[in-house]
Amino acid sequence: VVADPLDIQYKDMTMHDINTIFQVTMGTKDFRSVCTSMNVADKITFICYKKTFSIQCIGDICTIEKIFYEDKNTLKLHVAEKYKDTIVSSTYVLKYIQMFSKATHLCQFLDLIIATIPGDDRNLLVVKYDVANLGHLTFMLSPIVEKD
């Protein structure tokens, strides 16, 4: 069972309040195409291990996984030293990620950041677009929280 977003207690945060686990800089077209092709389920999982980043969606009918490898031109991956040899995996609600992907027309590249909030062990997703001379457009999403 997925928690209702209206039931979650919100806290005002800035980018300085989070501890980055890994950051992926990728093309917005790649991100948009992956998000639109993964409409077979309700959840999407981001997985990072060493120099590999993958996006996985497991549905009733099939499983879709797109694996990206670090490349200087298309994908840049930065992993915090503490997590270099650790598999980092976080699952989010796909419909919110798809809403975030609608901003891909504003720029060529985006940053996907998985981070933790001090005092909380859940991995926060930050989707950050650098929009020309206008500044940054940043979306933050909490992972799926299972109700007991």
Side-chain angles (χ1 to χ4, degrees):
V1 176
V2 177
D4 183 11
L6 298 176
D7 293 339
I8 298 173
Q9 297 297 320
Y10 294 99
K11 175 185 167 190
D12 288 335
M13 289 183 292
T14 65
M15 290 294 290
H16 302 291
D17 295 333
I18 63 174
N19 301 320
T20 301
I21 297 173
F22 72 85
Q23 177 175 346
V24 177
T25 302
M26 65 187 303
T28 54
K29 289 181 182 179
D30 292 336
F31 181 66
R32 175 76 185 220
S33 67
V34 168
C35 288
T36 55
S37 67
M38 294 196 173
N39 56 3
V40 297
D42 297 331
K43 301 174 185 177
I44 187 168
T45 303
F46 296 99
I47 304 164
C48 181
Y49 180 63
K50 294 191 178 183
K51 297 292 181 181
T52 307
F53 172 69
S54 66
I55 302 173
Q56 186 180 66
C57 187
I58 300 173
D60 295 334
I61 305 168
C62 65
T63 298
I64 299 173
E65 183 174 23
K66 176 72 176 172
I67 300 172
F68 296 93
Y69 298 97
E70 188 171 34
D71 180 355
K72 292 178 184 175
N73 299 323
T74 58
L75 183 98
K76 294 178 185 167
L77 183 61
H78 171 73
V79 181
E81 192 64 38
K82 166 177 165 178
Y83 298 97
K84 287 273 187 206
D85 294 320
T86 306
I87 297 174
V88 179
S89 174
S90 294
T91 303
Y92 304 91
V93 177
L94 178 61
K95 71 178 180 179
Y96 298 126
I97 305 293
Q98 288 175 331
M99 282 193 284
F100 297 166
S101 74
K102 291 181 182 181
T104 56
H105 301 291
L106 298 173
C107 57
Q108 289 184 328
F109 295 95
L110 64 89
D111 291 324
L112 289 174
I113 303 166
I114 300 291
T116 58
I117 303 168
D120 193 350
D121 61 345
R122 293 177 293 166
N123 294 339
L124 177 74
L125 173 68
V126 179
V127 181
K128 182 178 169 189
Y129 296 94
D130 290 323
V131 185
N133 296 329
L134 299 176
H136 306 290
L137 178 60
T138 305
F139 299 100
M140 293 184 178
L141 183 63
S142 181
I144 293 176
V145 178
E146 301 291 333
K147 284 187 176 179
D148 293 333

